[in-house]
Amino acid sequence: MFMRHSRNLLLWAIIGIGSWGLFACTEDSTGASVRTDSGVEVLTDAAGDAPSTKFSDGAMATELGLELPPASTMGPGTEKEYEPAAGNSEGVETDAEGWLKLKSDLSADRNNLWVANADEDTVSNVDTQQIKEVGRYFTGLKEGSNPSRTSVDLAGDVFVGNRSDGSVTKIAASTARCAERNGTAGIQTSTDPTPMARSTDNASGFPVGQSTDECVLWSKALADEPIGCSGIRGVAATAETGLDFEYNGHVWVGCRDTGTIFKLNGETGDVMASYGPFDGRDGSFEIKPYGFVLDKKETNRLWIAGKDGDTAVYWMDTTDGTMHKAVDAVSGASPNPYGIALDDNSHVWIATKDDGKESHQPNAAGDIWRYDPATETWEGVHVGDGVKFKGLAVDVWGFVWGIDNASNPAQIFMIDPSTFPDPSSVHGPYVLGDDNNTPQSGGGVAIDFDGHVWGVSKKGCPTGAKEGCATRLTVDRTGALPVVSPDLDIVPVGEGTYSYSDMIGYSLRNFTTKEGWYRQTFDVCDDKSTWWQKIAFESDVPPGTRFIIRARAADKVEDLENAEWHTIVQVPADSSPVDLPPDLAEGHFIQLEVRLYTQDSAVTPSVGKIGFTFTCTTTIL
């Protein structure tokens, strides 16, 4: 839950500029139009003087100014109070005083579970609320791509690592981000378990061999890069936004066979950075990157589960590619990892695929391990003989969920961090099958944004079939410990499912920089265009948090969608009030967007009232 930080309420006052001040369009019948030296038509009172001005909350301007009408303010106590809802916001809510803040719970407008079906070269899109498959897509450059990892960015779109052809594919979760390419009106995309075909003709608008689905945005080949790439395993979307602050995550990709690592541009697939090979030569580590997770607090830190080669856990400085081994400060050892995840305290959790009897772990034999970077110590617990973990996930309450690859049917265990590493911290197993389905070879585990747990298995849906299963465990979070219902929701997916990664985007959203946004459109000048001038705001921005306000304007509301965004406020750098940029176009309508960010889930920035000054200019024809 977010903590409240003491607020510094900013004065609501707009200062006049030059010899004529700032003016607002009014309906005073005594007003007369005049033209200023700037060439902008404004309204004055009958004596030709600017009217006395104040903000709507009563704070008087200290110099020439304008009366700020309620129509140009939003926030608590105004006509436009913050009312977050689907379509106008994401990831935000209001506090008891009506201030805008980041959500403290798990709710998010993201309900896509992306399952890689390795044996049929597809990815399934499972709706975690409808509990059904709502799309399936061919991935890679051609048949035999062998997808195995999926990682979801902040927009909900997915990056897919394809093992056999050394490629990465990006798929859009929403048709709003899909790309028209085939000349047929509308977006043609899969909406059920049937994928659209691969292209056989370049004239179709798609490269030969690649998917003709318009939501499959691109596939990037890395095998021909100078340092090479073979056997893609680790894939991790980044919590980045573009220059316009739209969600625009990039992706880190690890190639196990060549020991190389790449960062790709999320929009284009172009290589932004490359490191390696980490082949053990010249004193370097021999690293076979198998699993990735990005740090929350150390934002330039990429954690790596190195499998085979010099088997251990590492972290890479993403600014220069230097590698560091996560060894225990006392024993000098590092675990033999498979699954890897991060909790809210930036502790690294790993799962081992051996049963613990032949463990290479530090301190004690075990199957689930936790590393504290601050103390450089490993602690572990042995879950059970014969257990062979693959995927691992941590929820925002700190509970750790690991899926057993050896059991039949597949099963999941839970670890209580409050009693870890005592054996009493182990709970379960929770079986993923029922009378009709026997999921086998459990591979991945994920948490959805309702707090339920998903396990992905390679085959056995239904029993004996080649098709895999995505099984939801319904979890009651009202008590001190999660309670798992015996009732299961099972969704059949494709053949040979092999996903263990952040396949819902839960980890990225909750354990990296959290963010949210809110939009409001204003219409203040009847039939006139509007010159937007200054903006004032009140806010509370604790350390580790920030917020920005951006704006776009147009004379027609339908043109706002394509209008250019302008960042007009960045806090803590800016203080109220702020001049709006001169390149912000005039327009009858203005849309403001407030975007809030935090790197600490215990605190949130908060935004109170926002108001702006304006001048009504030319009549819209």
Side-chain angles (χ1 to χ4, degrees):
M1 180 176 293
F2 288 120
M3 296 174 61
R4 170 55 50 82
H5 192 271
S6 61
R7 285 191 172 126
N8 177 22
L9 301 183
L10 301 175
L11 174 66
W12 279 65
I14 292 291
I15 309 302
I17 298 179
S19 60
W20 53 276
L22 300 177
F23 298 87
C25 184
T26 69
E27 299 300 325
D28 188 346
S29 61
T30 64
S33 294
V34 298
R35 186 165 296 276
T36 70
D37 292 340
S38 65
V40 178
E41 185 177 21
V42 298
L43 296 182
T44 68
D45 63 15
D49 297 323
S52 176
T53 62
K54 63 181 179 180
F55 280 87
S56 57
D57 67 349
M60 292 295 297
T62 57
E63 295 182 26
L64 290 177
L66 55 108
E67 173 126 359
L68 188 66
S72 66
T73 61
M74 68 176 181
T78 72
E79 292 183 356
K80 293 182 175 64
E81 295 194 344
Y82 297 124
E83 296 180 345
N88 73 352
S89 62
E90 182 178 296
V92 295
E93 61 187 359
T94 56
D95 63 16
E97 299 172 29
W99 285 49
L100 192 69
K101 69 184 188 73
L102 288 167
K103 280 186 176 179
S104 55
D105 61 21
L106 284 177
S107 58
D109 300 325
R110 298 285 175 265
N111 55 348
N112 304 100
L113 167 69
W114 299 90
V115 180
N117 305 309
D119 291 353
E120 62 175 48
D121 306 328
T122 67
V123 167
S124 293
N125 180 3
V126 175
D127 189 306
T128 61
Q129 294 179 340
Q130 297 185 58
I131 318 295
K132 71 174 185 178
E133 186 174 0
V134 294
R136 192 177 296 189
Y137 317 86
F138 284 117
T139 69
L141 309 175
K142 57 185 179 180
E143 291 183 7
S145 59
N146 195 3
S148 74
R149 304 291 194 276
T150 60
S151 184
V152 180
D153 68 12
L154 292 176
D157 302 336
V158 67
F159 297 99
V160 184
N162 302 299
R163 290 183 293 189
S164 293
D165 67 5
S167 72
V168 177
T169 298
K170 185 178 182 182
I171 306 171
S174 167
T175 55
R177 292 187 297 280
C178 301
E180 170 59 57
R181 283 175 286 173
N182 62 10
T184 302
I187 294 297
Q188 281 72 57
T189 185
S190 172
T191 57
D192 57 31
T194 303
M196 295 185 67
R198 291 186 181 273
S199 172
T200 59
D201 181 1
N202 280 320
S204 66
F206 305 88
V208 171
Q210 297 188 26
S211 172
T212 58
D213 193 303
E214 290 183 313
C215 288
V216 179
L217 300 178
W218 50 257
S219 289
K220 170 69 175 180
L222 294 176
D224 295 332
E225 290 297 315
I227 61 173
C229 174
S230 176
I232 289 177
R233 295 297 194 277
V235 179
T238 68
E240 295 176 87
T241 51
L243 295 176
D244 58 359
F245 291 93
E246 294 289 353
Y247 293 140
N248 185 39
H250 304 308
V251 62
W252 286 98
V253 180
C255 309
R256 185 186 72 167
D257 300 344
T258 49
T260 50
I261 295 175
F262 297 84
K263 184 179 183 180
L264 305 185
N265 184 290
E267 288 293 307
T268 64
D270 294 338
V271 175
M272 302 174 68
S274 58
Y275 300 110
F278 300 99
D279 54 10
R281 299 178 184 178
D282 301 322
S284 69
F285 296 116
E286 183 185 1
I287 301 172
K288 304 291 186 182
Y290 209 76
F292 281 173
V293 62
L294 286 160
D295 204 305
K296 166 191 170 184
K297 294 181 179 178
E298 301 293 339
T299 55
N300 63 331
R301 187 172 289 188
L302 174 67
W303 291 94
I304 302 169
K307 189 172 180 291
D308 304 324
D310 187 3
T311 298
V313 176
Y314 302 84
W315 64 268
M316 186 183 81
D317 186 328
T318 58
T319 63
D320 59 15
T322 55
M323 280 289 181
H324 308 263
K325 193 173 183 178
V327 299
D328 187 86
V330 176
S331 69
S334 184
N336 177 9
Y338 204 101
I340 186 167
L342 198 75
D343 67 20
D344 198 37
N345 297 309
S346 286
H347 295 147
V348 181
W349 293 81
I350 64 101
T352 66
K353 195 167 177 282
D354 62 62
D355 64 7
K357 293 180 180 179
E358 300 175 357
S359 175
H360 301 289
Q361 318 304 335
N363 305 325
D367 296 303
I368 300 292
W369 288 84
R370 181 179 67 191
Y371 181 69
D372 184 345
T375 60
E376 297 182 343
T377 53
W378 283 99
E379 294 180 295
V381 63
H382 180 57
V383 173
D385 292 348
V387 173
K388 297 180 182 293
F389 281 115
K390 274 197 170 182
L392 191 72
V394 183
D395 60 37
V396 294
W397 296 274
F399 296 99
V400 182
W401 306 79
I403 190 166
D404 181 10
N405 180 251
S407 58
N408 185 11
Q411 57 189 9
I412 287 176
F413 290 87
M414 183 192 76
I415 306 298
D416 180 358
S418 68
T419 53
F420 179 86
D422 190 85
S424 64
S425 66
V426 179
H427 297 264
Y430 308 107
V431 176
L432 300 180
D434 58 17
D435 292 341
N436 300 313
N437 302 279
T438 309
Q440 294 177 260
S441 300
V445 61
I447 317 296
D448 69 26
F449 289 101
D450 294 312
H452 304 307
V453 178
W454 289 79
V456 175
S457 308
K458 190 172 184 179
K459 57 185 178 179
C461 270
T463 300
K466 294 181 180 179
E467 284 76 19
C469 313
T471 303
R472 186 181 79 165
L473 300 176
T474 300
V475 183
D476 183 347
R477 303 280 185 170
T478 56
L481 279 175
V483 176
V484 176
S485 168
D487 298 325
L488 302 175
D489 293 297
I490 300 179
V491 181
V493 286
E495 295 183 14
T497 57
Y498 197 96
S499 288
Y500 91 97
S501 46
D502 192 14
M503 50 189 149
I504 292 180
Y506 181 96
S507 178
L508 186 71
R509 276 191 162 267
N510 288 294
F511 302 137
T512 56
T513 299
K514 296 180 69 172
E515 64 181 280
W517 56 268
Y518 183 89
R519 290 179 183 174
Q520 179 68 57
T521 301
F522 293 87
D523 169 11
V524 297
C525 278
D526 293 336
D527 61 348
K528 295 182 181 297
S529 191
T530 310
W531 173 33
W532 312 98
Q533 297 166 329
K534 271 184 177 281
I535 187 167
F537 51 88
E538 51 187 5
S539 64
D540 168 30
V541 184
T545 72
R546 63 188 178 97
F547 80 91
I548 67 111
I549 303 174
R550 60 179 189 160
R552 57 185 178 184
D555 279 336
K556 296 181 180 180
V557 69
E558 59 267 26
D559 292 336
L560 279 174
E561 187 68 27
N562 296 318
E564 181 182 0
W565 283 108
H566 294 264
T567 301
I568 58 178
V569 172
Q570 297 191 68
V571 176
D574 294 332
S575 58
S576 180
V578 171
D579 291 322
L580 298 186
D583 55 349
L584 176 63
E586 286 189 16
H588 180 72
F589 295 94
I590 189 170
Q591 187 173 71
L592 296 186
E593 181 182 79
V594 184
R595 299 187 77 94
L596 297 87
Y597 303 81
T598 184
Q599 290 183 303
D600 185 345
S601 59
V603 294
T604 174
S606 301
V607 179
K609 295 186 187 73
I610 297 174
F612 52 88
T613 62
F614 59 91
T615 295
C616 299
T617 59
T618 56
T619 300
I620 300 172
L621 300 178

